Amino acid sequence: MSATLNAHQFGRLLERTAGHIADESIPRLHGVRLETDDTFLYAIASDRYTLAVARYRHHGLTSAPFARTLPARALASLRHWAADQPGGDPVTVTLAENRIRFTSPQGELGVGVDDSREYFGWRGVLRGVIDQLPADAEDPFPVFDTRLLARWTGADHYLRLRVTADRQGALLVGEDFLGAQMPVRSRHDGFDTGLADDLDQARTLWDDALGDAPAAAMPDSMPAVRHPSHDASRAVAETAEGLLRQTLSSTHDLIQETNISPAAVAAHASSGVTAWMAFRYLEALHHADPKLAVRIVTETAEQLDDGALGEFAYDAAAGAGYNPEEWQEELEAHKAARQGQ
């Protein structure tokens, strides 16, 4: 089972999709899927929030179509290998048992794959997206420069995007933020003639690839993220809710429980006070700098999931000019005094 295309096209397949792969928390999406049909070699990648599919015509299949997922750990070396090949040289993609071989006149590279790993129905997802608008609708279908789209990453963590009309600017709305991006208006602005001119043409170009796959929604048909139940939240609103819940739970237990030890009373009080302080600090930070709040919540969640809080706190204390060793000595002296009493 093999298909052949030139080295430039093969490298572009990986380049155009590798940025969309999911992390290791979704094993089925942690890589780039290669699939063939009678005409094209496809590369597919998704992180459940974006989906990218690129394709090039191959020079013919030697047998039945095939599909395998290239693991993320192999992509760096494979992309480097592809970049080292002269662009016009043929690259043959050959499927073997638990392996894919990439062969060119300059050499060969093998990548181990899991033959049993399934993938989601990406054709149905794209069918659902492309069929959201009726074929005869006069809807906007402007061309945007992706290099300019990247400029919005500094505006906000989330933005609403509204395409208003064909050949007109797109509207972007954030928290205390408003923006617009002009589309590319003509080929003099540099866009390629290979782009579809309208939605109907896009449907026609991809109709054979999508086939009769039933339309599917992205969140429902893609593998879910399977974080352990103890993972800390990476969202500001969810973190704030958790802190408020913790405050109310601790103060409720402190008031309602009558037969608890002094140590338990101290623990409930400390938990409630700490959660309330954290909520107020997070609330203030989010109002002052929402983007910084998102970054801090994410970094804190990663530290909590790591579990080495003592090490983080020790380093932070030492970095701030305190003496954590002296704190530990004071704690031990306090414990010894209490035991003596």
Side-chain angles (χ1 to χ4, degrees), residues 15-35:
E15 179 183 348
R16 299 172 81 182
T17 54
H20 297 265
I21 66 172
D23 61 30
E24 59 274 8
S25 66
I26 316 179
R28 285 169 59 190
L29 301 183
H30 191 46
V32 172
R33 184 77 165 178
L34 292 184
E35 295 191 11

Side-chain angles (χ1 to χ4, degrees), residues 32 41 46 51 57 88 107 116 146 157 163 166-167 169 176 195 226 254-255 302 317 319 336 340:
V32 172
L41 174 64
S46 176
L51 168 60
R57 291 181 179 272
S116 65
T146 57
H157 195 69
V163 179
D166 198 10
R167 293 184 294 276
D176 296 318
L195 292 174
R226 301 194 181 279
L254 187 62
I255 296 172
E302 292 172 353

